[in-house]
Amino acid sequence: MPWSDEFVLGIESIDTQHRWLVEATNRLYDQIESQQPDTKVVGEILEGLVDYTMNHFILEEDLFNRLGYPESEAHKREHDSFTNQAMKLLLDFDGGEPVTEDTMEFLKAWLIHHILRVDKAYVPFLKANGVV
C-alpha cells in the first residue's frame, strides 16, 4: 500500500504517524509474502503496530478532548473497535495463528477508510482551532 498525498491531512504530527502506520503495514506485508517469513520479525511488527496505533489514538483523542471536537465519541468508538481487533490479531498470532492475506486486507482497508473518511472529517475542526 504505497503512501499517497491523498492521505495527507495537513496536520504534521498526525501525518507523520499515519505514514509510519502505512510503512509498518507494508513491512508486515513484505514479511508474510516472503518465501520464509521470520515469525520473530512478524511478531515485532505486529506489536509495534498495536503499540503505535494506540499512541496515535491517544494523541487524536487528547486533541479532541482539549478542543471539544463534537464527534469525539463516535471517533473514539472507531478507535476502540480497531484496538480490539488489532489486539485479537496479536493474541491469535502469539497463539500460533499465521498472519494471512485476509489480515493484511483488513489492515489496509481499515487504514484507508480511517484516514480518508473518518480522520479527514476532523481536519476542518482542528485547523479552525489552530492545529497544524
Side-chain angles (χ1 to χ4, degrees), residues 3-44:
W3 178 258
S4 165
D5 284 345
E6 74 179 314
F7 294 136
V8 175
L9 303 180
I11 299 171
E12 188 176 345
S13 60
I14 294 173
D15 287 336
T16 299
Q17 291 179 355
H18 284 165
R19 182 181 291 272
W20 189 94
L21 290 167
V22 168
E23 290 171 358
T25 301
N26 287 335
R27 286 193 310 275
L28 182 60
Y29 178 80
D30 290 345
Q31 193 56 230
I32 68 163
E33 288 296 311
S34 70
Q35 292 286 345
Q36 295 291 324
D38 184 329
T39 56
K40 181 179 179 205
V41 172
V42 170
E44 289 170 355

Side-chain angles (χ1 to χ4, degrees), residues 34-90:
S34 70
Q35 292 286 345
Q36 295 291 324
D38 184 329
T39 56
K40 181 179 179 205
V41 172
V42 170
E44 289 170 355
I45 295 170
L46 273 177
E47 287 178 18
L49 273 168
V50 170
D51 289 345
Y52 201 88
T53 301
M54 289 176 160
N55 288 324
H56 170 67
F57 291 166
I58 289 168
L59 170 81
E60 284 186 353
E61 292 169 16
D62 180 59
L63 282 171
F64 297 163
N65 290 335
R66 284 189 291 125
L67 300 173
Y69 180 54
E71 299 299 320
S72 177
E73 285 305 312
H75 201 100
K76 186 174 181 338
R77 281 192 299 275
E78 286 244 355
H79 288 173
D80 292 346
S81 174
F82 180 79
T83 299
N84 290 337
Q85 290 172 303
M87 285 301 298
K88 182 180 180 332
L89 291 173
L90 182 57

Side-chain angles (χ1 to χ4, degrees), residues 107-127:
L107 290 172
K108 178 182 169 182
W110 192 89
L111 272 171
I112 290 170
H113 167 77
H114 194 74
I115 294 170
L116 296 182
R117 301 262 191 265
V118 180
D119 284 355
K120 282 212 176 193
Y122 66 60
V123 170
F125 177 85
L126 292 185
K127 286 188 172 185

